[in-house]
Amino acid sequence: MNIPGKTERTGPVLFSGYKRGEAITKALSLSREDILFELKDSKLKGRGGAGFPTSTKWMLVAAAKGDKKYVICNADEGEPGTFKDRVLLMEYPELVFDGMVIAGYTMGASLGIVYLRGEYEYILKSLEDYLEEMRKDNLLGNNILGKGINFDIQIVLGSGAYVCGEETALIESLEGNRGEARNRPPYPVNTGFNGKPTSVNNVETFAAVCKIILNGGKWYCTFGTDKSTGSKLFSVSGDCEKPGVYELHWGAKISEVLDLVGAKHTKAVQVGGASGICIPKSQFNRTLAYEDASTGGSIIIFNESRNMIDVLKNFMEFFVEESCGQCTPCRIGNSKLLEGVELIEKGEFTFNYINKLKDLGRTMQVSAKCGLGQSSPNSFISILENFKDEVLNKSNGGRNGR
Amino acid sequence: MLTAEKNAMVEEIELLVAKYGKDRSALLSILHEIQKRYRYISEYAQQEVARMLDIHPVEVYSFISFFAFLNSEPKGRNLVRICKTISCDMVGKSAIVKTIERELGVEIGGTTKDNKFTVEYANCLGLCDQGPVMAINDRVYVKLTPEKAVKLLSEVK
Ligand SMILES: Cc1cc2nc3c(=O)[nH]c(=O)nc-3n(C[C@H](O)[C@H](O)[C@H](O)COP(=O)(O)O)c2cc1C
Ligand code: SF4
């Protein structure tokens, strides 16, 4: 395989050096309550996209009644333009797995499951070897570090369905059912895997937990903004000189990211992958943060030579394929939006119809059953609104957003 | 399928059930391994899995039909998947696809006459900073050029 090995990465929090077991040792010397307080102080929010406060989720699972509890690491990473979880798993497994052990201890779970997307099968072997080393070092298995804590981790491969990154669809597929999202509530914190209390967290969330336990919640808050504390990994791709994974403070401006990665003549930035929003030049001073342009980390850059309708078509085709088909707004809605894009492509649209489709998109945002159908209209609406001069009025693409 | 082959397969499925358990939650892992070994999950295999996990065969079929990586019909001996997501698209995925189609004499979605390759599109393979990207079976190849892609395919047995 010709994927470059561990490159020297530097960053404020995650890419700043860590020794296997450090955070586990520290965590096991703390009470569960202390860990939850530390997480609460850190104001850590989930890194999988939805941004739910991690301390709240863990507290709910810790408090839930159940003879068994589970910790699930969501490594399904299917959002177009996202690859930071792959980098964490390949280059920093110590942060991810130590974070899972801490989660198990804090919530009283004895099994952790890594749901690894099937596309990443080539890293399975190295991860399993790594877990074996942890077992040898008594960081995993029975009586961890002699503290009477039992916790083990198993890895399950997904089978190529984007929707299985949605936590309830993920759980359905783990249970041997089609990966169709469940109605929520009830939430996995009460009725998760096999009906037991379960915390599903993103790969990066577990990594952040290790650093918070080692250095404290207050320390973590010195990075980022007031509402978006800490750092974030961004997967940057598209038109730039230095694509790759970057660790930045939350609150970085889009224009700063563009400078950092050597992007020139940029006309648009897609923040949050296909289910995110497309930001025009006039808004490049917006910040990457939960309170502004929120994202699970995907940043795709388009320069002035790109045709935004091609971009939108690529995204809508993706959603038509990946919709699980369970609910009508998403199953039919995405097909209708794609048809609309094709009409625009052929120059056969009417403004009246396109406005109806935007309304349909807004209806999907509130009526689809899961996050896939709720967010798939985002790029449709934002591209048609922010790039209407190019897309609908056929003017010079370079003038967009000015 | 010959009886001997059938028996061998049943034995293998029994081993998988022993490894992953009889609970329905073993289904994803069991089917993944059968898929990997046989490149598809035959009707017979589906029935055997269903019998051992004590669920209806239709439920196994329904599960398979949901997932892109599980299939109930055989494909070519090697599966070639080219990422078509936007970042790979922008750095020349189409040229790779056209070249492969021409060299192998097959259209995307199809299987070569000698059954050696099935060529498909894939959604984001998570290597967006190193496109164009293609997977041959479970290995991935990055920063492709049309020439490099053809060379890689010619090295496949
Ligand atoms: C269609 C869809 C796909 C998703 N894919 C992922 C994913 O690949 N990884 C992930 O961590 N979260 C994904 N999520 C979000 C999860 O449902 C869930 O919110 C997350 O795993 C919770 O972890 P966190 O609190 O640590 O962010 C997805 C959501 C949707 C609706
Ligand atoms: S929104 Fe889409 S993916 Fe989600 S349940 Fe409905 S059809 Fe399935």
Side-chain angles (χ1 to χ4, degrees), chain A residues 70-363:
Chain A
Y70 297 99
V71 170
I72 294 180
C73 173
N74 189 343
D76 201 47
E77 190 161 65
E79 187 65 50
T82 316
F83 43 96
K84 47 111 187 158
D85 292 342
R86 172 180 57 75
V87 166
L88 275 178
L89 289 166
M90 288 173 79
E91 302 176 22
Y92 301 85
E94 60 275 14
L95 282 174
V96 181
F97 293 143
D98 286 9
M100 286 183 74
V101 174
I102 295 169
Y105 166 62
T106 310
M107 290 180 271
S110 53
L111 182 65
I113 301 171
V114 179
Y115 191 92
L116 182 68
R117 69 189 302 232
E119 288 85 345
Y120 290 171
E121 184 166 1
Y122 57 89
I123 54 178
L124 177 65
K125 172 83 175 54
S126 71
L127 295 181
E128 296 207 307
D129 290 349
Y130 188 86
L131 291 176
E132 206 43 51
E133 283 175 36
M134 282 179 75
R135 288 186 194 104
K136 279 193 197 123
D137 289 354
N138 196 214
L139 293 167
L140 206 58
N142 288 333
N143 195 14
I144 294 175
L145 298 179
K147 297 276 185 180
I149 307 294
N150 302 333
F151 185 78
D152 213 330
I153 296 177
Q154 93 192 32
I155 306 174
V156 177
L157 280 171
S159 260
Y162 166 67
V163 70
C164 285
E166 196 281 335
E167 56 183 16
T168 61
L170 185 158
I171 289 170
E172 282 291 318
S173 73
L174 276 182
E175 291 177 356
N177 300 315
R178 293 165 65 90
E180 291 171 349
R182 297 175 180 169
N183 277 323
R184 306 176 333 151
Y187 294 96
V189 291
N190 292 309
T191 54
F193 180 54
N194 284 341
K196 309 290 181 192
T198 303
S199 179
V200 181
N201 289 103
N202 177 255
V203 175
E204 188 184 346
T205 309
F206 288 113
V209 165
C210 278
K211 291 289 184 169
I212 292 166
I213 293 306
L214 270 185
N215 302 298
K218 293 260 161 13
W219 167 84
Y220 195 71
C221 290
T222 61
F223 305 94
T225 72
D226 188 37
K227 290 200 174 97
S228 311
T229 55
S231 70
K232 178 81 189 86
L233 298 185
F234 294 99
S235 316
V236 183
S237 67
D239 295 314
C240 64
E241 283 160 14
K242 292 174 281 182
V245 173
Y246 291 83
E247 185 187 10
L248 303 173
H249 286 245
W250 272 121
K253 282 201 174 83
I254 291 173
S255 55
E256 288 166 359
V257 177
L258 293 175
D259 286 344
L260 184 68
V261 302
K264 303 220 172 65
H265 309 292
T266 306
K267 105 166 142 185
V269 178
Q270 181 78 17
V271 176
S275 48
I277 51 169
C278 196
I279 292 182
K281 210 174 204 165
S282 58
Q283 297 174 26
F284 285 175
N285 60 351
R286 285 179 66 179
T287 58
L288 298 164
Y290 291 107
E291 62 272 24
D292 191 355
S294 178
T295 169
S298 168
I299 307 269
I300 310 175
I301 301 169
F302 305 104
N303 70 22
E304 284 169 0
S305 74
R306 304 297 173 185
N307 183 342
M308 296 315 287
I309 204 73
D310 292 346
V311 172
L312 181 55
K313 190 175 174 192
N314 188 289
F315 291 159
M316 293 321 299
E317 284 173 346
F318 170 74
F319 289 120
V320 168
E321 265 174 43
E322 295 294 341
S323 165
C324 83
Q326 194 187 177
C327 71
T328 320
C330 172
R331 184 183 64 245
I332 310 285
N334 282 314
S335 303
K336 286 287 156 199
L337 298 188
L338 176 60
E339 276 171 36
V341 174
E342 286 164 350
L343 288 178
I344 297 172
E345 200 179 22
K346 285 184 272 183
E348 288 171 4
F349 67 96
T350 62
F351 281 94
N352 192 9
Y353 186 59
I354 294 303
N355 286 334
K356 278 200 182 130
L357 287 180
K358 281 198 243 167
D359 277 344
L360 171 66
R362 285 183 273 268
T363 306

Side-chain angles (χ1 to χ4, degrees), chain A residues 1-4 80-83 86 115 117-122 156-157 159-161 163-164 173-179 237-238 243-244 300-302 306 311 314-315 318 321-322 324, chain B residues 23-29 32 36 55 59 61-63 65-70 81 84-87 89-91 93 123-130 138-143 148 152:
Chain A
M1 204 138 336
N2 41 1
I3 298 173
T82 316
F83 43 96
R86 172 180 57 75
Y115 191 92
R117 69 189 302 232
E119 288 85 345
Y120 290 171
E121 184 166 1
Y122 57 89
V156 177
L157 280 171
S159 260
V163 70
C164 285
S173 73
L174 276 182
E175 291 177 356
N177 300 315
R178 293 165 65 90
S237 67
I300 310 175
I301 301 169
F302 305 104
R306 304 297 173 185
V311 172
N314 188 289
F315 291 159
F318 170 74
E321 265 174 43
E322 295 294 341
C324 83
Chain B
D23 190 79
R24 187 174 178 149
S25 62
L27 195 58
L28 187 58
S29 299
H32 181 88
K36 215 175 141 169
I55 54 181
E59 301 214 48
Y61 177 76
S62 157
F63 188 87
S65 71
F66 187 86
F67 291 96
F69 287 7
L70 304 178
R81 293 180 306 124
K84 66 169 180 194
T85 298
I86 194 73
S87 302
D89 186 74
M90 291 197 291
V91 288
K93 154 228 98 185
N123 282 324
C124 192
L125 291 173
L127 290 156
C128 323
D129 53 339
Q130 299 169 61
D138 56 9
R139 299 185 131 229
V140 288
Y141 302 91
V142 301
K143 296 192 174 155
K148 196 166 147 192
L152 286 166

Side-chain angles (χ1 to χ4, degrees), chain B residues 13-25:
Chain B
I13 298 177
E14 275 166 356
L15 286 177
L16 291 174
V17 172
K19 179 172 168 194
Y20 292 108
K22 272 181 167 354
D23 190 79
R24 187 174 178 149
S25 62

